[in-house]
Amino acid sequence: MVSHGKVKVPVWYWIVSIVALIWNLMGAMAYLGQAFMTEEMKAAMPMEQLALMENTPAWATAAFAFAVWGGVLGCIALLIRKKWAKMILMVSLLGILTQMGYSYFMTNAVEVYDTAQGVVMPIVLIVIGAGLVVFANSAQKKHWIN
């Protein structure tokens, strides 16, 4: 599918990239919501969840930031068809794995949160993060990004 020396990108590539950007923007909003949480919002949280959040070390919070902002930047790179999208999405995945590793192995988050938030959501995040790296790798091999 070559047109005037350029590889034609299928419509589904754009759909996946836009949906992925929206997904990562929602993650960025969650990060900002946590970073700028007011005292009133904290008072409304269950005590166990607040304790988990307030006792999170800076490196785990930094992993969260790398995960979400790397995801946003990586998806923007996909939309502007830059091959560095793969590297940025790999950084995002590393952030996800670090953050989820901390939650699973160094805290009692699975006990504190319900099954959907404590078990299912972390798995979904890892699968989507890995899927975006695979997607970017495939797009690079097909010369959709360069």
Side-chain angles (χ1 to χ4, degrees), residues 69-95:
W69 298 113
V72 169
L73 186 58
C75 290
I76 291 170
L78 288 172
L79 288 168
I80 60 175
R81 298 180 60 191
K82 297 297 179 185
K83 69 179 177 183
W84 47 266
K86 178 181 161 186
M87 183 58 67
I88 300 297
L89 290 169
M90 289 172 70
V91 169
S92 175
L93 178 58
L94 181 61

PDB file of all heavy atoms in Angstrom, residues 69-95:
ATOM      1  N   TRP A  69       2.384   9.951  31.953  1.00  0.00           N
ATOM      2  CA  TRP A  69       2.874  10.984  31.022  1.00  0.00           C
ATOM      3  C   TRP A  69       3.626  10.358  29.861  1.00  0.00           C
ATOM      4  O   TRP A  69       3.571  10.855  28.735  1.00  0.00           O
ATOM      5  CB  TRP A  69       3.697  12.034  31.760  1.00  0.00           C
ATOM      6  CG  TRP A  69       2.869  12.749  32.781  1.00  0.00           C
ATOM      7  CD1 TRP A  69       3.015  12.698  34.138  1.00  0.00           C
ATOM      8  CD2 TRP A  69       1.723  13.578  32.547  1.00  0.00           C
ATOM      9  NE1 TRP A  69       2.031  13.447  34.751  1.00  0.00           N
ATOM     10  CE2 TRP A  69       1.230  13.993  33.806  1.00  0.00           C
ATOM     11  CE3 TRP A  69       1.054  13.989  31.395  1.00  0.00           C
ATOM     12  CZ2 TRP A  69       0.098  14.810  33.936  1.00  0.00           C
ATOM     13  CZ3 TRP A  69      -0.069  14.809  31.532  1.00  0.00           C
ATOM     14  CH2 TRP A  69      -0.523  15.205  32.783  1.00  0.00           C
ATOM     15  N   GLY A  70       4.308   9.231  30.108  1.00  0.00           N
ATOM     16  CA  GLY A  70       4.925   8.494  29.006  1.00  0.00           C
ATOM     17  C   GLY A  70       3.875   7.954  28.056  1.00  0.00           C
ATOM     18  O   GLY A  70       4.052   7.977  26.831  1.00  0.00           O
ATOM     19  N   GLY A  71       2.768   7.465  28.612  1.00  0.00           N
ATOM     20  CA  GLY A  71       1.667   6.977  27.782  1.00  0.00           C
ATOM     21  C   GLY A  71       1.068   8.075  26.918  1.00  0.00           C
ATOM     22  O   GLY A  71       0.816   7.886  25.729  1.00  0.00           O
ATOM     23  N   VAL A  72       0.859   9.235  27.521  1.00  0.00           N
ATOM     24  CA  VAL A  72       0.307  10.377  26.762  1.00  0.00           C
ATOM     25  C   VAL A  72       1.272  10.775  25.646  1.00  0.00           C
ATOM     26  O   VAL A  72       0.874  10.892  24.481  1.00  0.00           O
ATOM     27  CB  VAL A  72       0.013  11.582  27.690  1.00  0.00           C
ATOM     28  CG1 VAL A  72      -0.287  12.834  26.890  1.00  0.00           C
ATOM     29  CG2 VAL A  72      -1.142  11.260  28.637  1.00  0.00           C
ATOM     30  N   LEU A  73       2.529  10.960  25.991  1.00  0.00           N
ATOM     31  CA  LEU A  73       3.519  11.382  24.997  1.00  0.00           C
ATOM     32  C   LEU A  73       3.709  10.316  23.913  1.00  0.00           C
ATOM     33  O   LEU A  73       3.803  10.640  22.726  1.00  0.00           O
ATOM     34  CB  LEU A  73       4.851  11.696  25.687  1.00  0.00           C
ATOM     35  CG  LEU A  73       5.950  12.281  24.801  1.00  0.00           C
ATOM     36  CD1 LEU A  73       5.491  13.573  24.133  1.00  0.00           C
ATOM     37  CD2 LEU A  73       7.204  12.524  25.627  1.00  0.00           C
ATOM     38  N   GLY A  74       3.735   9.050  24.318  1.00  0.00           N
ATOM     39  CA  GLY A  74       3.884   7.966  23.351  1.00  0.00           C
ATOM     40  C   GLY A  74       2.733   7.910  22.370  1.00  0.00           C
ATOM     41  O   GLY A  74       2.929   7.680  21.169  1.00  0.00           O
ATOM     42  N   CYS A  75       1.524   8.138  22.847  1.00  0.00           N
ATOM     43  CA  CYS A  75       0.356   8.124  21.955  1.00  0.00           C
ATOM     44  C   CYS A  75       0.345   9.340  21.031  1.00  0.00           C
ATOM     45  O   CYS A  75      -0.069   9.233  19.868  1.00  0.00           O
ATOM     46  CB  CYS A  75      -0.932   8.034  22.766  1.00  0.00           C
ATOM     47  SG  CYS A  75      -1.122   6.405  23.539  1.00  0.00           S
ATOM     48  N   ILE A  76       0.788  10.463  21.534  1.00  0.00           N
ATOM     49  CA  ILE A  76       0.927  11.638  20.657  1.00  0.00           C
ATOM     50  C   ILE A  76       1.951  11.328  19.565  1.00  0.00           C
ATOM     51  O   ILE A  76       1.742  11.643  18.389  1.00  0.00           O
ATOM     52  CB  ILE A  76       1.311  12.898  21.462  1.00  0.00           C
ATOM     53  CG1 ILE A  76       0.130  13.339  22.339  1.00  0.00           C
ATOM     54  CG2 ILE A  76       1.769  14.025  20.539  1.00  0.00           C
ATOM     55  CD1 ILE A  76       0.458  14.423  23.351  1.00  0.00           C
ATOM     56  N   ALA A  77       3.051  10.668  19.948  1.00  0.00           N
ATOM     57  CA  ALA A  77       4.067  10.286  18.963  1.00  0.00           C
ATOM     58  C   ALA A  77       3.482   9.327  17.919  1.00  0.00           C
ATOM     59  O   ALA A  77       3.827   9.414  16.736  1.00  0.00           O
ATOM     60  CB  ALA A  77       5.269   9.666  19.663  1.00  0.00           C
ATOM     61  N   LEU A  78       2.610   8.425  18.347  1.00  0.00           N
ATOM     62  CA  LEU A  78       1.945   7.549  17.374  1.00  0.00           C
ATOM     63  C   LEU A  78       1.114   8.372  16.396  1.00  0.00           C
ATOM     64  O   LEU A  78       1.119   8.114  15.188  1.00  0.00           O
ATOM     65  CB  LEU A  78       1.041   6.538  18.087  1.00  0.00           C
ATOM     66  CG  LEU A  78       1.713   5.409  18.849  1.00  0.00           C
ATOM     67  CD1 LEU A  78       0.681   4.624  19.650  1.00  0.00           C
ATOM     68  CD2 LEU A  78       2.466   4.479  17.896  1.00  0.00           C
ATOM     69  N   LEU A  79       0.410   9.358  16.919  1.00  0.00           N
ATOM     70  CA  LEU A  79      -0.460  10.177  16.065  1.00  0.00           C
ATOM     71  C   LEU A  79       0.324  11.058  15.083  1.00  0.00           C
ATOM     72  O   LEU A  79      -0.168  11.350  13.998  1.00  0.00           O
ATOM     73  CB  LEU A  79      -1.401  11.027  16.923  1.00  0.00           C
ATOM     74  CG  LEU A  79      -2.501  10.228  17.617  1.00  0.00           C
ATOM     75  CD1 LEU A  79      -3.203  11.078  18.662  1.00  0.00           C
ATOM     76  CD2 LEU A  79      -3.503   9.694  16.596  1.00  0.00           C
ATOM     77  N   ILE A  80       1.522  11.450  15.480  1.00  0.00           N
ATOM     78  CA  ILE A  80       2.335  12.244  14.545  1.00  0.00           C
ATOM     79  C   ILE A  80       3.344  11.356  13.806  1.00  0.00           C
ATOM     80  O   ILE A  80       4.220  11.854  13.107  1.00  0.00           O
ATOM     81  CB  ILE A  80       3.033  13.443  15.239  1.00  0.00           C
ATOM     82  CG1 ILE A  80       3.970  12.988  16.351  1.00  0.00           C
ATOM     83  CG2 ILE A  80       1.992  14.439  15.737  1.00  0.00           C
ATOM     84  CD1 ILE A  80       4.785  14.115  16.984  1.00  0.00           C
ATOM     85  N   ARG A  81       3.188  10.030  14.011  1.00  0.00           N
ATOM     86  CA  ARG A  81       3.918   9.000  13.279  1.00  0.00           C
ATOM     87  C   ARG A  81       5.430   9.068  13.474  1.00  0.00           C
ATOM     88  O   ARG A  81       6.201   9.005  12.535  1.00  0.00           O
ATOM     89  CB  ARG A  81       3.538   9.037  11.800  1.00  0.00           C
ATOM     90  CG  ARG A  81       2.063   8.759  11.583  1.00  0.00           C
ATOM     91  CD  ARG A  81       1.657   8.798  10.147  1.00  0.00           C
ATOM     92  NE  ARG A  81       2.397   7.785   9.385  1.00  0.00           N
ATOM     93  CZ  ARG A  81       2.405   7.732   8.062  1.00  0.00           C
ATOM     94  NH1 ARG A  81       1.736   8.612   7.357  1.00  0.00           N
ATOM     95  NH2 ARG A  81       3.079   6.798   7.438  1.00  0.00           N
ATOM     96  N   LYS A  82       5.846   9.140  14.727  1.00  0.00           N
ATOM     97  CA  LYS A  82       7.272   9.176  15.072  1.00  0.00           C
ATOM     98  C   LYS A  82       7.684   7.838  15.683  1.00  0.00           C
ATOM     99  O   LYS A  82       7.005   7.314  16.566  1.00  0.00           O
ATOM    100  CB  LYS A  82       7.568  10.311  16.065  1.00  0.00           C
ATOM    101  CG  LYS A  82       7.274  11.679  15.496  1.00  0.00           C
ATOM    102  CD  LYS A  82       8.157  11.967  14.299  1.00  0.00           C
ATOM    103  CE  LYS A  82       7.875  13.321  13.700  1.00  0.00           C
ATOM    104  NZ  LYS A  82       8.644  13.553  12.483  1.00  0.00           N
ATOM    105  N   LYS A  83       8.819   7.313  15.243  1.00  0.00           N
ATOM    106  CA  LYS A  83       9.261   6.010  15.727  1.00  0.00           C
ATOM    107  C   LYS A  83       9.670   6.019  17.192  1.00  0.00           C
ATOM    108  O   LYS A  83       9.693   4.978  17.842  1.00  0.00           O
ATOM    109  CB  LYS A  83      10.370   5.437  14.853  1.00  0.00           C
ATOM    110  CG  LYS A  83      11.680   6.152  14.923  1.00  0.00           C
ATOM    111  CD  LYS A  83      12.698   5.481  14.027  1.00  0.00           C
ATOM    112  CE  LYS A  83      14.007   6.233  14.037  1.00  0.00           C
ATOM    113  NZ  LYS A  83      14.970   5.632  13.130  1.00  0.00           N
ATOM    114  N   TRP A  84       9.972   7.183  17.756  1.00  0.00           N
ATOM    115  CA  TRP A  84      10.328   7.229  19.173  1.00  0.00           C
ATOM    116  C   TRP A  84       9.129   6.925  20.070  1.00  0.00           C
ATOM    117  O   TRP A  84       9.271   6.788  21.284  1.00  0.00           O
ATOM    118  CB  TRP A  84      11.016   8.536  19.560  1.00  0.00           C
ATOM    119  CG  TRP A  84      10.406   9.805  19.089  1.00  0.00           C
ATOM    120  CD1 TRP A  84      10.721  10.510  17.962  1.00  0.00           C
ATOM    121  CD2 TRP A  84       9.376  10.570  19.735  1.00  0.00           C
ATOM    122  NE1 TRP A  84       9.961  11.645  17.861  1.00  0.00           N
ATOM    123  CE2 TRP A  84       9.124  11.708  18.946  1.00  0.00           C
ATOM    124  CE3 TRP A  84       8.648  10.390  20.905  1.00  0.00           C
ATOM    125  CZ2 TRP A  84       8.170  12.665  19.278  1.00  0.00           C
ATOM    126  CZ3 TRP A  84       7.683  11.346  21.245  1.00  0.00           C
ATOM    127  CH2 TRP A  84       7.465  12.457  20.432  1.00  0.00           C
ATOM    128  N   ALA A  85       7.946   6.774  19.464  1.00  0.00           N
ATOM    129  CA  ALA A  85       6.765   6.369  20.232  1.00  0.00           C
ATOM    130  C   ALA A  85       7.030   5.057  20.963  1.00  0.00           C
ATOM    131  O   ALA A  85       6.653   4.900  22.131  1.00  0.00           O
ATOM    132  CB  ALA A  85       5.554   6.215  19.303  1.00  0.00           C
ATOM    133  N   LYS A  86       7.704   4.133  20.289  1.00  0.00           N
ATOM    134  CA  LYS A  86       7.986   2.825  20.898  1.00  0.00           C
ATOM    135  C   LYS A  86       8.817   2.976  22.169  1.00  0.00           C
ATOM    136  O   LYS A  86       8.492   2.378  23.202  1.00  0.00           O
ATOM    137  CB  LYS A  86       8.697   1.934  19.883  1.00  0.00           C
ATOM    138  CG  LYS A  86       9.075   0.578  20.411  1.00  0.00           C
ATOM    139  CD  LYS A  86       9.791  -0.211  19.327  1.00  0.00           C
ATOM    140  CE  LYS A  86      10.586  -1.346  19.905  1.00  0.00           C
ATOM    141  NZ  LYS A  86      11.401  -2.017  18.876  1.00  0.00           N
ATOM    142  N   MET A  87       9.863   3.767  22.111  1.00  0.00           N
ATOM    143  CA  MET A  87      10.742   3.939  23.281  1.00  0.00           C
ATOM    144  C   MET A  87       9.980   4.606  24.433  1.00  0.00           C
ATOM    145  O   MET A  87      10.089   4.178  25.591  1.00  0.00           O
ATOM    146  CB  MET A  87      11.978   4.757  22.910  1.00  0.00           C
ATOM    147  CG  MET A  87      12.962   4.904  24.055  1.00  0.00           C
ATOM    148  SD  MET A  87      13.583   3.352  24.731  1.00  0.00           S
ATOM    149  CE  MET A  87      14.537   2.761  23.367  1.00  0.00           C
ATOM    150  N   ILE A  88       9.200   5.616  24.133  1.00  0.00           N
ATOM    151  CA  ILE A  88       8.444   6.312  25.181  1.00  0.00           C
ATOM    152  C   ILE A  88       7.392   5.376  25.785  1.00  0.00           C
ATOM    153  O   ILE A  88       7.189   5.366  27.008  1.00  0.00           O
ATOM    154  CB  ILE A  88       7.777   7.597  24.618  1.00  0.00           C
ATOM    155  CG1 ILE A  88       8.829   8.568  24.078  1.00  0.00           C
ATOM    156  CG2 ILE A  88       6.899   8.258  25.662  1.00  0.00           C
ATOM    157  CD1 ILE A  88       9.797   9.096  25.105  1.00  0.00           C
ATOM    158  N   LEU A  89       6.746   4.577  24.943  1.00  0.00           N
ATOM    159  CA  LEU A  89       5.756   3.632  25.459  1.00  0.00           C
ATOM    160  C   LEU A  89       6.420   2.528  26.286  1.00  0.00           C
ATOM    161  O   LEU A  89       5.810   2.011  27.225  1.00  0.00           O
ATOM    162  CB  LEU A  89       4.912   3.055  24.317  1.00  0.00           C
ATOM    163  CG  LEU A  89       3.955   4.079  23.686  1.00  0.00           C
ATOM    164  CD1 LEU A  89       3.360   3.538  22.397  1.00  0.00           C
ATOM    165  CD2 LEU A  89       2.861   4.492  24.662  1.00  0.00           C
ATOM    166  N   MET A  90       7.675   2.194  25.978  1.00  0.00           N
ATOM    167  CA  MET A  90       8.413   1.242  26.807  1.00  0.00           C
ATOM    168  C   MET A  90       8.710   1.849  28.177  1.00  0.00           C
ATOM    169  O   MET A  90       8.620   1.158  29.207  1.00  0.00           O
ATOM    170  CB  MET A  90       9.697   0.815  26.098  1.00  0.00           C
ATOM    171  CG  MET A  90       9.444  -0.092  24.904  1.00  0.00           C
ATOM    172  SD  MET A  90      10.914  -0.435  23.917  1.00  0.00           S
ATOM    173  CE  MET A  90      11.823  -1.469  25.039  1.00  0.00           C
ATOM    174  N   VAL A  91       9.035   3.136  28.218  1.00  0.00           N
ATOM    175  CA  VAL A  91       9.253   3.832  29.490  1.00  0.00           C
ATOM    176  C   VAL A  91       7.951   3.840  30.296  1.00  0.00           C
ATOM    177  O   VAL A  91       7.947   3.592  31.508  1.00  0.00           O
ATOM    178  CB  VAL A  91       9.775   5.271  29.255  1.00  0.00           C
ATOM    179  CG1 VAL A  91       9.741   6.094  30.541  1.00  0.00           C
ATOM    180  CG2 VAL A  91      11.180   5.236  28.668  1.00  0.00           C
ATOM    181  N   SER A  92       6.844   4.094  29.608  1.00  0.00           N
ATOM    182  CA  SER A  92       5.537   4.075  30.264  1.00  0.00           C
ATOM    183  C   SER A  92       5.257   2.697  30.856  1.00  0.00           C
ATOM    184  O   SER A  92       4.825   2.580  32.013  1.00  0.00           O
ATOM    185  CB  SER A  92       4.441   4.452  29.256  1.00  0.00           C
ATOM    186  OG  SER A  92       3.164   4.328  29.834  1.00  0.00           O
ATOM    187  N   LEU A  93       5.514   1.642  30.079  1.00  0.00           N
ATOM    188  CA  LEU A  93       5.296   0.277  30.568  1.00  0.00           C
ATOM    189  C   LEU A  93       6.185  -0.014  31.775  1.00  0.00           C
ATOM    190  O   LEU A  93       5.733  -0.624  32.752  1.00  0.00           O
ATOM    191  CB  LEU A  93       5.547  -0.741  29.459  1.00  0.00           C
ATOM    192  CG  LEU A  93       5.400  -2.214  29.855  1.00  0.00           C
ATOM    193  CD1 LEU A  93       4.009  -2.510  30.403  1.00  0.00           C
ATOM    194  CD2 LEU A  93       5.715  -3.112  28.659  1.00  0.00           C
ATOM    195  N   LEU A  94       7.412   0.425  31.743  1.00  0.00           N
ATOM    196  CA  LEU A  94       8.303   0.245  32.893  1.00  0.00           C
ATOM    197  C   LEU A  94       7.732   0.949  34.127  1.00  0.00           C
ATOM    198  O   LEU A  94       7.762   0.409  35.239  1.00  0.00           O
ATOM    199  CB  LEU A  94       9.704   0.765  32.577  1.00  0.00           C
ATOM    200  CG  LEU A  94      10.740   0.609  33.679  1.00  0.00           C
ATOM    201  CD1 LEU A  94      10.953  -0.849  34.038  1.00  0.00           C
ATOM    202  CD2 LEU A  94      12.055   1.242  33.249  1.00  0.00           C
ATOM    203  N   GLY A  95       7.169   2.145  33.926  1.00  0.00           N
ATOM    204  CA  GLY A  95       6.517   2.863  35.024  1.00  0.00           C
ATOM    205  C   GLY A  95       5.334   2.086  35.572  1.00  0.00           C
ATOM    206  O   GLY A  95       5.149   1.976  36.792  1.00  0.00           O
TER     207      GLY A  95
END
